[in-house]
């Protein structure tokens, strides 16, 4: 059964009840809005690489919207659990939705951490090799989020399984970044304080 953009399995009683389906639909719409906000990872990367403090502040301010959406989704899921007595299939959907909601909210928080780090190193030049790896890490992180949401929306297990390989690539990029960062510091191309902040930023992308 399709609810909004998301595919929900049919329950044991022949399908989700109408009022329960509507509640799931509303939660699904909110989840999509939340996911679109977490795509600010790309904007966070631009703010970091361009030294754009205005964009950094906009991302920090928008995090409040994500927090509101996250709390709303959690409330709707708990309400369904408490009042609708969902069947097994729908219970699994709710459990998955709550886990995804938490991960999306954390993803938005990580974007905020990236731009806060960008503000701390404002005025410091980032060596070209490090800039290139940052851009690639950002592309992989945004790609993973998009694939994860598509897999959930289509109930596509094989597509979701592909995330493991992409995550391995992102892990390798983080290792490459740390190695390149030490080399840049040894060559006096990067001072210690921005190097520490960039190491943390690389960790935020990987997470």
């Amino acid at each position: 059964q399709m609810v909004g953009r998301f595919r929900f399995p049919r329950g044991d009683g022949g399908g989700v009840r109408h009022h329960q389906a509507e509640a799931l639909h509303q939660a699904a719409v909110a989840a999509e809005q939340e996911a679109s906000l977490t795509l600010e990872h790309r904007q966070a990367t631009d703010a970091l690489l361009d030294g754009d403090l205005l964009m950094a502040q906009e991302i920090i301010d928008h995090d409040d919207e994500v927090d509101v959406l996250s709390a709303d989704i959690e409330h709707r899921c708990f309400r369904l659990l408490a009042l609708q007595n969902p069947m097994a299939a729908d219970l699994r959907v709710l459990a998955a939705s709550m886990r995804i909601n938490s991960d999306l909210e954390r993803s938005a928080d990580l974007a905020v951490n990236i731009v806060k780090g960008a503000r701390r190193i404002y005025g410091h030049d980032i060596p070209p090799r490090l800039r290139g790896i940052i851009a690639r890490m950002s592309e992989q992180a945004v790609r993973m989020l998009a694939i994860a949401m598509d897999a959930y929306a289509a109930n596509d297990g094989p597509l979701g399984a592909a995330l493991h390989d992409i995550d391995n690539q992102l892990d390798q990029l983080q290792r490459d970044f740390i190695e390149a960062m030490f080399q840049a510091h040894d060559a006096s191309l990067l001072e210690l304080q921005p190097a520490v902040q960039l190491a943390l930023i690389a960790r935020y992308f990987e997470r």
Side-chain angles (χ1 to χ4, degrees), residues 60-76:
I60 293 171
D61 293 340
H62 286 167
D63 187 57
D64 291 339
E65 298 178 33
V66 179
D67 291 340
V68 170
L69 281 170
S70 178
D72 182 54
I73 292 171
E74 185 177 81
H75 173 75
R76 294 181 191 191

Side-chain angles (χ1 to χ4, degrees), residues 87-146:
M87 304 298 286
D90 302 323
L91 188 59
R92 288 193 293 271
V93 170
L94 285 172
S97 298
M98 293 174 71
R99 174 63 184 271
I100 291 168
N101 175 54
S102 176
D103 288 343
L104 288 174
E105 195 274 335
R106 184 169 65 95
S107 180
D109 287 342
L110 291 171
V112 170
N113 290 342
I114 289 170
V115 296
K116 285 183 176 179
R119 295 199 304 190
R120 294 186 188 103
I121 64 172
Y122 180 75
H124 292 276
D125 291 331
I126 302 175
R129 185 182 175 195
L130 294 180
R131 293 175 65 89
I133 298 176
I134 287 171
R136 290 163 59 195
M137 291 182 73
S138 175
E139 291 171 4
Q140 290 289 75
V142 171
R143 182 184 172 208
M144 284 186 67
L145 176 59

